[in-house]
Amino acid sequence: MATDCVQVQTTAGSREEADRLASVLLERRLAACVQLLGPVESRYWWEGRVESASEWLCLAKTTAARVDEVVAAIGDAHSYDTPEVLVTAVRDGNERYLRWVEETVILGP
């Protein structure tokens, strides 16, 4: 099945921030669903050295048509200077679920 769905991934420094990011996306109907996983341990290069942090992984289900708005909303609401925002196209999946995602975000403002 061809689909317009995408998954947008970001991380947050606390459960409270993850909840806030999810609320922003859901209240604006930019995402049909946001899953919060964590805490996860992240290890990464930052300012010339390896760092580690406990974070919450946020996975938002939306459509390609709303990606720019999702990325902007995450950037505006996020506490990080350079938040992780990765967009992955959904190639296939449960047809009823994908249709629900598309219908849910299309009904947004």
Side-chain angles (χ1 to χ4, degrees), residues 43-109:
R43 298 188 185 280
Y44 52 92
W45 278 96
W46 188 251
E47 297 181 346
R49 63 179 201 241
V50 175
E51 299 282 345
S52 66
S54 221
E55 297 183 299
W56 285 79
L57 180 62
C58 308
L59 303 173
K61 307 327 186 263
T62 190
T63 62
R66 304 297 299 267
V67 164
D68 290 343
E69 294 169 274
V70 171
V71 172
I74 291 170
D76 290 344
H78 212 291
S79 67
Y80 292 177
D81 291 336
T82 308
E84 168 189 358
V85 181
L86 302 175
V87 178
T88 305
V90 175
R91 198 190 72 178
D92 203 352
N94 179 302
E95 186 175 331
R96 287 180 60 199
Y97 179 81
L98 298 174
R99 188 171 46 250
W100 169 77
V101 170
E102 292 171 347
E103 290 170 356
T104 300
V105 298
I106 287 172
L107 295 175

Side-chain angles (χ1 to χ4, degrees), residues 1-75:
M1 173 194 168
T3 180
D4 187 40
C5 293
V6 299
Q7 179 170 270
V8 180
Q9 173 179 314
T10 191
T11 53
S14 68
R15 175 60 192 249
E16 293 75 23
E17 181 172 29
D19 286 337
R20 187 171 46 77
L21 292 170
S23 292
V24 165
L25 297 177
L26 293 168
E27 288 169 6
R28 296 182 191 175
R29 296 290 286 254
L30 296 175
C33 170
V34 182
Q35 296 169 312
L36 308 177
L37 296 91
V40 296
E41 188 66 22
S42 295
R43 298 188 185 280
Y44 52 92
W45 278 96
W46 188 251
E47 297 181 346
R49 63 179 201 241
V50 175
E51 299 282 345
S52 66
S54 221
E55 297 183 299
W56 285 79
L57 180 62
C58 308
L59 303 173
K61 307 327 186 263
T62 190
T63 62
R66 304 297 299 267
V67 164
D68 290 343
E69 294 169 274
V70 171
V71 172
I74 291 170

